[in-house]
């Protein structure tokens, strides 16, 4: 399904391009989105089933599409050259940054949650969480949401007047409720499984 959507996007954004500039712009747009997704996948090193195909496989399909159109559209040759140049540069930069220890997947969710609750800017939380979840509901994000839910619940159990904990818990529960109401139960099952483990860990 996702590959079919990619194919449609490639044809509409790149295949219908009239000239090098448009073809290159469409190629770079698709390359950037998929490359960012690939970085996240590489850093998270998840092994659980995904709701999306691996981003690197989708990048390979994009390159294969460009090659397949070279004979019919001369602009695809230039787009392919730009694709290869960007891919080579980002691979080198990624490896250098990873070796230097500046790329990590330490989640800033607790700080972000606290800031949104403290400033009353709940819309920031509502806007950002779906963006993170679009990358296939990464396990690390779901695990952290579950851990923070248990943490806030424990704080409230200890102090019923802890308004900040209540506000943060409300934001977290919004994610759980939205997942429960979604047509697919994939995210809800993932969140509930991590929540059950986090509760069990604190109960023991």
């Amino acid at each position: 399904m996702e590959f079919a959507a990619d194919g449609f996007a490639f044809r509409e954004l790149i295949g219908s391009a009239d000239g090098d500039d448009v073809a290159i712009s469409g190629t770079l747009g698709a390359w950037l989105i998929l490359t960012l997704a690939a970085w996240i996948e590489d850093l998270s090193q998840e092994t659980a089933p995904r709701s999306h195909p691996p981003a690197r496989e989708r990048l390979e399909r994009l390159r294969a599409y460009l090659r397949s159109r070279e004979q019919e559209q001369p602009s695809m040759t230039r787009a392919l050259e730009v694709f290869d140049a960007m891919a080579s540069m980002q691979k080198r930069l990624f490896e250098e940054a990873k070796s230097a220890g500046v790329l990590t997947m330490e989640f800033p969710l607790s700080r972000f949650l606290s800031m949104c609750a403290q400033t009353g800017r709940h819309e920031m939380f509502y806007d950002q969480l779906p963006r993170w979840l679009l990358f296939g509901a990464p396990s690390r994000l779901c695990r952290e949401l579950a851990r923070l839910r248990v943490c806030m619940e424990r704080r409230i159990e200890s102090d019923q007047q802890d308004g900040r904990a209540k506000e943060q818990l409300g934001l977290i529960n919004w994610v759980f409720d939205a997942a429960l109401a979604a047509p697919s139960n994939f995210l809800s099952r993932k969140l509930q499984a991590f929540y059950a483990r986090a509760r069990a860990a604190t109960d023991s």
Side-chain angles (χ1 to χ4, degrees), residues 44-50 139:
S44 63
Q45 297 180 335
E46 291 186 30
T47 58
R50 306 172 188 274
S139 294

Side-chain angles (χ1 to χ4, degrees), residues 7 19 79-80 97 121 138 162 164 181 198:
L80 183 60
R121 300 185 65 180
D162 192 337
R164 187 170 296 178

Side-chain angles (χ1 to χ4, degrees), residues 113-198:
L113 176 67
S114 177
M115 183 270 292
C116 290
Q118 187 174 359
T119 60
R121 300 185 65 180
H122 296 183
E123 71 280 359
M124 290 178 61
F125 188 84
Y126 300 147
D127 180 68
Q128 186 60 43
L129 256 292
R131 298 177 192 274
W132 285 336
L133 293 172
L134 278 175
F135 289 106
S139 294
R140 186 167 298 191
L141 173 59
C142 293
R143 187 185 302 113
E144 183 68 359
L145 281 167
R147 185 190 70 79
L148 288 170
R149 178 180 173 182
V150 172
C151 179
M152 297 306 139
E153 289 173 343
R154 295 304 191 208
R155 281 176 52 178
I156 295 169
E157 289 170 6
S158 299
D159 181 6
Q160 291 292 324
Q161 304 304 315
D162 192 337
R164 187 170 296 178
K166 290 180 179 179
E167 196 162 3
Q168 292 184 59
L169 180 60
L171 291 172
I172 295 169
N173 283 338
W174 171 80
V175 181
F176 278 76
D177 292 343
L180 187 62
S184 169
N185 66 354
F186 172 77
L187 178 58
S188 182
R189 287 189 294 106
K190 203 175 188 68
L191 286 167
Q192 291 298 338
F194 281 120
Y195 174 67
R197 293 178 201 170

Side-chain angles (χ1 to χ4, degrees), residues 27-102:
T27 299
L28 287 178
W31 174 86
L32 178 60
I33 292 172
L34 294 176
T35 296
L36 289 173
W39 277 35
I40 292 174
E41 291 173 0
D42 290 347
L43 289 170
S44 63
Q45 297 180 335
E46 291 186 30
T47 58
R50 306 172 188 274
S51 61
H52 294 65
R56 294 210 176 277
E57 187 174 341
R58 297 168 70 185
L59 280 165
E60 290 172 5
R61 286 175 174 260
L62 171 57
R63 190 179 190 283
Y65 174 80
L66 295 174
R67 286 190 63 86
S68 71
R69 300 290 298 174
E70 278 190 285
Q71 296 299 320
E72 297 179 35
Q73 288 180 267
S75 60
M76 293 299 104
T77 298
R78 181 58 181 148
L80 183 60
E81 291 173 354
V82 172
F83 177 96
D84 287 340
M86 294 298 293
S88 177
M89 181 180 67
Q90 77 83 22
K91 181 179 180 180
R92 176 176 55 81
L93 292 175
F94 180 83
E95 292 303 326
E96 289 178 358
K98 195 173 181 181
S99 298
V102 298

